Amino acid sequence: MKSSDHPEPPEQGRPAFAGRRLLFFTLGLAILLGGLELLVRRNIPLFEGASHRMLAKVAMFGEQRRVDFLFFGTSRTQDGISPPLVSRHLAELSPEFKGAAGFNAASTGSNYEDLMTVAPRYFQRPGLRAVIIELSVPHLSNQPSLSPAIATHSQTEEDRLTRAVNHVAFVRYRTAFLTDNLGRLPALLFFSSRLSGYETRGSEQIASFLGREEPAPAGFAATVWQPEIISPPNKPTPLEADLEAAAAKITVLAKAYTERKIRVVFSVPPLTARHQPAPERDRLRPLFAEVARRTGCEVWDFAAQPRPDEFFKDSSHLSRKVGRAHWSYALAHQLARETGKR
Amino acid sequence: MLFNSLTFFALFLPTLAVYWALPWHRARLVLLLAVSLLFYGYHHWPSVFLLLFTIGFNYAAGRHQQSRPSRVTMLAAVGANLSLLLWFKYAAFIATTVNSLLGVVGMNLAVPVPPVFLPLGISFFTFQVVAYQIDVYRREIPAEPSLLRFAVFKCFFPQLIAGPIVRAKDFLPQLVNAVRFDAAAFHRGLWLVLAGLALKIGVADVLAQFASEAFRDPAALTTVGAWTGLYAYAFQLYADFWGYSTMAVGFAALLGLNLPLNFDTPYAASSLQDFWRRWHITLSVWFRDYVYIPLGGNRHRQATNLLLTMGLAGLWHGAGWTFILWGLGHGLWLALERLLPKGGFFAENRWGRLLRWLAVFHGVCLLWVLFRAPTLSLALEYYGRLMLPPFTTSKVPGVLTGWLLVFAMAQWPVAQTLREHAFARLSLKAQWLLGLAAIYLILAYAGAKVDFIYFTF
């Protein structure tokens, strides 16, 4: 019998059919990566959104069927405003708002520079009626974290190759896969159109996905939640240098919307008495007046009067169950009044 | 050009394709040599001349020894190689130390400190040729007759800069005959490259942020912060060098060549001797064969031999007192281990083994402080935060805890898959899962571009 009739037994520990196994391994990986590339290419805004809190809101906003009111701000606004409650109460206050929808685009770490960077992604949306922008110390002091897309013209070999491989979508949007960001992907991919932006917890996201309504605030009294309204004054208010710079930034941001006939209102989130120091109650007041004058927009100062602790989870963040519902209703009242003035 | 750079892959992938397409063995060797020189020169092209000089010198010295074997020739060849290392790596350190000593004794003299450039990987390729010269002298191997093969052995790019330190008797025979494509070896090579990259990018670079932060200002650390920073560094160093070595073995496997694995779950060691059998294995073996045994080994003055060997190993890692103390610390500990009965202070049962493992791991970690701290005073400050009051706590970042726990648990199964053919024998589903996990780590965490730690040695 020829030796070829009896193939040699594989070397100790060596896998049988090595060539076939190698082929299947590489082919399988290539198919899986091809599938990932297709998935990312079909959902580029969502994968881009997973990489950053603010971009996640932009991506969610893009999936909404209708948005009339948009809320910008830090975690104070993110935790404190439920757009479905605002819309529901608005519809109760005036039939004009029946079917109106809001979206909470606030996020932890938000700042005016980044809001300016993403502004075109919001103001180009048809049907947007009003934008409510938070005025607060953290919103002024947070550092920008979104870099505008600057074309780099560095000529090192590594840079050129990086630009080349960035044509692969799953490489370009790879920061979506970082463990910190990965948690955003399921909601963005599967039910972002049913979220209103304020749902930071998984349980809240599931509740919104299932269409569960939040209860109305018990014992809400509009007069108690009345903000101090700062209307645009005629005379300029002198500002310290840092506040002057802040006013300039905020004015540019507001004009990006007002020039497109989108109403802008500034809101100062409520604070408890124990929140100390609170420049919103003293040092920032000249800024509020000057921003109102330069933009021609009202400032609703909910921090002028300290609010009871029962509405808060800490000294500056409203609680999810009680505080959020009350402030949402209070904002609906002000929005109805403001829109009714026109 | 780092293994974790796109530039490297842009060079390697076409090389791989051309290498396997070439039908002539000699042409493949020429290609390997050309790419190795390009790879080395990309970082600092004048260093290529040093490399070419050492190739020519060591080839000639080896041939000379073959025809007229003499201890003097061998010592001259070894001395010449070590002189280069001494000049490039240690001249500034020696001059600074001498100046400090002159200052202490009140002499108003100063030895000029030479501004020397440290050629990449000089510590590794010097040791490789020193071993070659000694092996030829001992008649363990014949001197390589082909200059081309010797040059490829000397500067084979996957292992040129940071090892593994390949022995001539293991590598040169692989270059004699044409390499045939072996699907199983190629399969293993693919996995080793993926796994190595994932270890470097997805583990070492992530932990590096925490370790760097901890060692930047030890005085600001809490006790908990100091310990977690030290754990982060211990695993960063391991993942970094393990990742690099694994990639080196993987690239060689893709080219049909076999390099030895350099790590074998070192933090599972039950004694320091066991640790050195698992950590940077090719260096440990080198010091054993060319320093420790010639000094007398276990036969006489064992403790002194251990101290000397490990002190030199410390000095090999870096020209600084922290490295020397690190090496001496290991030497002292190894010597003490020999004096104690087997098992040391701990009973030979499950709990005893657990305690012994904990003691070894923490002892190694404590010595890493000397290895990582840029100065002795910073190292002492760090030891103070680790072991002296006030004992304070702080919140450990969740990412750090998670990464440390996952890596500590995953190192065993990962190490298993790196052994010969182990990966290819897994089911295809398991291979795809592991492949995707590695790609995930590489994709998500790519971009930090932290240098491999051992490039600096």
Short mmCIF file of all heavy atoms in Angstrom, two decimals, chain B residues 222 224-225 228 392-401:
data_model
loop_
_atom_site.label_atom_id
_atom_site.label_comp_id
_atom_site.label_asym_id
_atom_site.label_seq_id
_atom_site.Cartn_x
_atom_site.Cartn_y
_atom_site.Cartn_z
N THR B 222 -4.00 58.80 48.65
CA THR B 222 -4.45 58.15 49.88
C THR B 222 -3.77 56.77 49.90
O THR B 222 -3.19 56.35 48.90
CB THR B 222 -5.97 57.94 49.86
OG1 THR B 222 -6.29 57.12 48.74
CG2 THR B 222 -6.72 59.28 49.74
N VAL B 224 -5.26 53.90 49.94
CA VAL B 224 -5.96 53.06 48.95
C VAL B 224 -5.54 53.46 47.53
O VAL B 224 -5.29 52.61 46.68
CB VAL B 224 -7.50 53.21 49.14
CG1 VAL B 224 -8.25 52.57 47.99
CG2 VAL B 224 -7.92 52.57 50.45
N GLY B 225 -5.43 54.77 47.30
CA GLY B 225 -5.02 55.26 45.98
C GLY B 225 -3.62 54.77 45.62
O GLY B 225 -3.35 54.43 44.46
N THR B 228 -3.88 50.96 44.78
CA THR B 228 -4.53 50.68 43.49
C THR B 228 -3.66 51.20 42.34
O THR B 228 -3.61 50.58 41.28
CB THR B 228 -5.94 51.30 43.41
OG1 THR B 228 -5.86 52.66 43.85
CG2 THR B 228 -6.93 50.55 44.26
N THR B 392 -5.40 56.39 54.79
CA THR B 392 -6.60 57.08 54.29
C THR B 392 -7.20 56.30 53.13
O THR B 392 -6.51 55.52 52.47
CB THR B 392 -6.24 58.49 53.82
OG1 THR B 392 -5.07 58.41 53.00
CG2 THR B 392 -5.96 59.42 54.98
N THR B 393 -8.47 56.56 52.89
CA THR B 393 -9.15 55.86 51.78
C THR B 393 -9.67 56.87 50.77
O THR B 393 -9.81 58.06 51.08
CB THR B 393 -10.35 55.03 52.28
OG1 THR B 393 -11.25 55.93 52.90
CG2 THR B 393 -9.92 53.96 53.24
N SER B 394 -9.93 56.41 49.59
CA SER B 394 -10.58 57.23 48.57
C SER B 394 -11.30 56.28 47.64
O SER B 394 -11.04 55.08 47.63
CB SER B 394 -9.55 58.04 47.80
OG SER B 394 -8.57 57.17 47.26
N LYS B 395 -12.22 56.82 46.86
CA LYS B 395 -13.02 55.99 45.96
C LYS B 395 -12.14 55.53 44.80
O LYS B 395 -11.44 56.35 44.20
CB LYS B 395 -14.21 56.81 45.44
CG LYS B 395 -15.28 55.99 44.79
CD LYS B 395 -16.52 56.85 44.53
CE LYS B 395 -17.61 56.04 43.84
NZ LYS B 395 -17.33 55.78 42.44
N VAL B 396 -12.17 54.25 44.55
CA VAL B 396 -11.38 53.71 43.42
C VAL B 396 -12.24 53.80 42.17
O VAL B 396 -13.40 53.39 42.20
CB VAL B 396 -10.99 52.24 43.68
CG1 VAL B 396 -10.14 51.71 42.54
CG2 VAL B 396 -10.26 52.12 44.99
N PRO B 397 -11.73 54.38 41.08
CA PRO B 397 -12.54 54.47 39.86
C PRO B 397 -13.03 53.10 39.42
O PRO B 397 -12.26 52.13 39.43
CB PRO B 397 -11.57 55.05 38.82
CG PRO B 397 -10.48 55.70 39.61
CD PRO B 397 -10.39 54.95 40.90
N GLY B 398 -14.31 53.02 39.08
CA GLY B 398 -14.92 51.76 38.69
C GLY B 398 -14.19 51.11 37.52
O GLY B 398 -14.04 49.89 37.47
N VAL B 399 -13.74 51.94 36.58
CA VAL B 399 -13.06 51.41 35.39
C VAL B 399 -11.80 50.67 35.82
O VAL B 399 -11.50 49.58 35.32
CB VAL B 399 -12.67 52.57 34.43
CG1 VAL B 399 -11.92 52.05 33.22
CG2 VAL B 399 -13.90 53.33 34.01
N LEU B 400 -11.07 51.26 36.78
CA LEU B 400 -9.82 50.65 37.23
C LEU B 400 -10.10 49.31 37.90
O LEU B 400 -9.47 48.29 37.58
CB LEU B 400 -9.09 51.60 38.18
CG LEU B 400 -7.81 51.06 38.82
CD1 LEU B 400 -6.80 50.64 37.77
CD2 LEU B 400 -7.19 52.09 39.75
N THR B 401 -11.06 49.30 38.83
CA THR B 401 -11.39 48.05 39.53
C THR B 401 -11.79 46.98 38.52
O THR B 401 -11.31 45.85 38.56
CB THR B 401 -12.55 48.27 40.52
OG1 THR B 401 -12.37 49.53 41.14
CG2 THR B 401 -12.64 47.19 41.55
#
